[in-house]
Amino acid sequence: MFRIPWKHAGKQDFRKDEDAAIFKAWAEFKGKLTDGSQDNPASWKTRLRCALNKSPEFMEVMERAQLDISEPYKVYRLVPINEQGVVVPEKKCRVKAAKRPKRRRRSSSSDSESDDGGVGKQIKTEEVTSQLVKKRLVLKVYFILKVCSVPVSPGQDSFSVVVHYLGQEVLKRQIQGTDVRITYLPSSLVPPTSAALKARFPRIPLPEPPSTLPVGQERQALATLLPFMEKGVVLTSTPQGVYGKRFCQGRVFWTGPHTTAPGLHKMERNTEPVMLFSKDAFKQQLDNFRSNGGVPPQCGVTLCFGEELSNTEDPSGKLIIVQITLPWAEEQVQTAQSFIESISILQSLASQSPLGEITLNLVSVDSPMSETIICGSF
């Protein structure tokens, strides 16, 4: 089973490029974008719905649909061959044969000629059936590949945070939610009450320098810097992207995949939050990667506490480096990579076949979205 976004085109938050992507792709594939429906998502949806309903290989699972939520969807399943009830259209052929004038039986050679005619009718029937199967196969393979290629909407917001001191990993934590505060908590402070903790953002405390760090000026500089990171930095995920706001006295510099201005990027105090990661830019990069390959888009940002950091510098020599990755973005990149690999295998197999044909054995793979994405094994 797999789900298809099914948002009404009249909704205020309807995104044609995303919510109607698979419907438009099917209309384009069928050559229907030149008949006045170039910009009609409702017409695109109707065409795909009709194609699915007519095909015996797909069945709508109405009880699994969710049409009254903010991101509605329908659920379909691939029908196994033994449940499709595909039959050779013999009745149609018999009707045509019955309308033909009966030929007089003259000799054994006539009988032989009649038998040849029977074989001819059988060949014709098989040819019709073959064309029918080919059309269904085109719908099946193309539709599966388009379903896999449509970007999955961001899942639950979360942050994966890794802290390095002088290139050594000292903390790794994953936070579920839209907000997180990375801060230093002096050991002399009284621990906050449970009620106070619930009222605040989830916090990731910067640890004291571990004993595994070499003793020297750099370790002393690290111990001096940590108290300036009290109150820390707050990260917030919104529909537009991930924003950062600095509250600590210590300086904070950052690098990310969506910076447009050259030079250093400093997070100032007492200012509006700065966008560190743009979800729209990520979506564009992901679409380009899925279509053209190349380098996959980055899925996070890097913070440097107390020191300057540019895009060209090696962060391993800095006192405090915090690397933030977004698990939902990483999941989408992995899905796109799997799609590209599948396309590459299809193209390779097709090029090796004398007729340019391949056979797909479809298997179901459980996805994190509770439904099943259909992929091919070759």
Side-chain angles (χ1 to χ4, degrees), residues 276-298:
L276 307 177
F277 186 93
S278 169
K279 291 183 178 179
D280 287 339
F282 170 76
K283 178 182 179 300
Q284 294 175 5
Q285 293 175 350
L286 184 65
D287 290 341
N288 181 69
F289 171 65
R290 185 184 294 107
S291 302
N292 305 314
V295 180
Q298 297 181 38

Side-chain angles (χ1 to χ4, degrees), residues 6-11 14 16 19-21 23-24 26-27 33 36-50:
W6 212 266
K7 184 179 293 185
H8 195 279
K11 293 279 189 179
F14 181 78
K16 184 175 63 176
D19 297 323
F23 308 124
K24 183 177 181 181
W26 179 248
L33 291 186
S37 60
Q38 290 93 333
D39 194 22
N40 190 343
S43 175
W44 303 338
K45 181 190 291 184
T46 299
R47 292 186 185 280
L48 182 57
R49 185 182 67 244
C50 292

Side-chain angles (χ1 to χ4, degrees), residues 220-268:
Q220 181 59 44
L222 175 61
T224 302
L225 173 62
L226 280 173
F228 289 93
M229 307 315 300
E230 189 179 346
K231 298 185 179 180
V233 172
V234 172
L235 303 178
T236 301
S237 180
T238 72
Q240 291 72 40
V242 177
Y243 290 82
K245 185 172 178 59
R246 169 189 160 199
F247 292 91
C248 56
Q249 293 182 358
R251 298 187 302 168
V252 178
F253 291 84
W254 63 277
T255 61
H258 306 144
T259 55
T260 55
L264 299 172
H265 299 88
K266 183 180 179 182
M267 198 179 298
E268 303 290 351

Side-chain angles (χ1 to χ4, degrees), residues 173-225:
R173 192 79 54 82
Q174 184 157 330
I175 298 293
Q176 298 289 336
T178 58
D179 304 279
V180 63
R181 181 189 290 267
I182 304 170
T183 182
Y184 173 71
L185 298 176
S187 57
S188 59
L189 293 180
V190 178
T193 62
S194 58
L197 286 175
K198 291 180 180 179
R200 299 178 180 178
F201 297 149
R203 293 188 299 182
I204 295 181
L206 297 173
E208 298 291 341
S211 58
T212 53
L213 288 178
V215 179
Q217 294 182 350
E218 291 182 330
R219 178 168 178 166
Q220 181 59 44
L222 175 61
T224 302
L225 173 62

Side-chain angles (χ1 to χ4, degrees), residues 111-336:
D111 293 340
S112 177
E113 185 177 353
S114 176
D115 290 341
D116 289 342
V119 173
K121 286 189 294 183
Q122 181 64 31
I123 292 175
K124 184 176 181 180
T125 299
E126 291 178 355
E127 182 180 354
V128 172
T129 306
S130 177
Q131 293 298 324
L132 181 63
V133 172
K134 284 182 179 179
K135 289 181 180 179
R136 290 173 183 165
L137 182 61
V138 169
L139 170 62
K140 187 175 184 179
V141 175
Y142 181 82
F143 183 77
I144 291 170
L145 293 180
K146 291 309 296 183
V147 167
C148 292
S149 70
V150 172
V152 181
S153 299
Q156 183 178 6
D157 284 303
S158 59
F159 302 90
S160 179
V161 179
V162 180
V163 180
H164 292 86
Y165 290 171
L166 296 171
Q168 178 179 320
E169 182 180 316
V170 295
L171 183 74
K172 186 174 184 179
R173 192 79 54 82
Q174 184 157 330
I175 298 293
Q176 298 289 336
T178 58
D179 304 279
V180 63
R181 181 189 290 267
I182 304 170
T183 182
Y184 173 71
L185 298 176
S187 57
S188 59
L189 293 180
V190 178
T193 62
S194 58
L197 286 175
K198 291 180 180 179
R200 299 178 180 178
F201 297 149
R203 293 188 299 182
I204 295 181
L206 297 173
E208 298 291 341
S211 58
T212 53
L213 288 178
V215 179
Q217 294 182 350
E218 291 182 330
R219 178 168 178 166
Q220 181 59 44
L222 175 61
T224 302
L225 173 62
L226 280 173
F228 289 93
M229 307 315 300
E230 189 179 346
K231 298 185 179 180
V233 172
V234 172
L235 303 178
T236 301
S237 180
T238 72
Q240 291 72 40
V242 177
Y243 290 82
K245 185 172 178 59
R246 169 189 160 199
F247 292 91
C248 56
Q249 293 182 358
R251 298 187 302 168
V252 178
F253 291 84
W254 63 277
T255 61
H258 306 144
T259 55
T260 55
L264 299 172
H265 299 88
K266 183 180 179 182
M267 198 179 298
E268 303 290 351
R269 296 178 65 190
N270 303 320
T271 59
E272 293 296 319
V274 60
M275 179 182 283
L276 307 177
F277 186 93
S278 169
K279 291 183 178 179
D280 287 339
F282 170 76
K283 178 182 179 300
Q284 294 175 5
Q285 293 175 350
L286 184 65
D287 290 341
N288 181 69
F289 171 65
R290 185 184 294 107
S291 302
N292 305 314
V295 180
Q298 297 181 38
C299 302
V301 297
T302 300
L303 306 182
C304 183
F305 291 169
E307 299 176 279
E308 296 181 350
L309 176 67
S310 67
N311 290 322
T312 58
E313 287 185 276
D314 181 9
S316 62
K318 303 296 182 180
L319 295 175
I320 304 176
I321 287 291
V322 181
Q323 294 178 327
I324 299 104
T325 55
L326 307 173
W328 64 265
E330 290 182 316
E331 180 182 336
Q332 291 194 33
V333 171
Q334 291 172 0
T335 301

Side-chain angles (χ1 to χ4, degrees), residues 57-58 78 81 84 133 136-146 148 341-350 356-364 374-378:
E57 296 189 344
F58 295 94
L78 283 174
I81 294 178
Q84 293 175 16
V133 172
R136 290 173 183 165
L137 182 61
V138 169
L139 170 62
K140 187 175 184 179
V141 175
Y142 181 82
F143 183 77
I144 291 170
L145 293 180
K146 291 309 296 183
C148 292
E341 292 171 0
S342 299
I343 291 294
S344 177
I345 294 174
L346 283 171
Q347 293 173 337
S348 175
L349 291 175
E357 296 179 351
I358 57 176
T359 300
L360 298 181
N361 296 319
L362 301 179
V363 297
S364 60
I374 306 301
C375 302
S377 61
F378 317 99

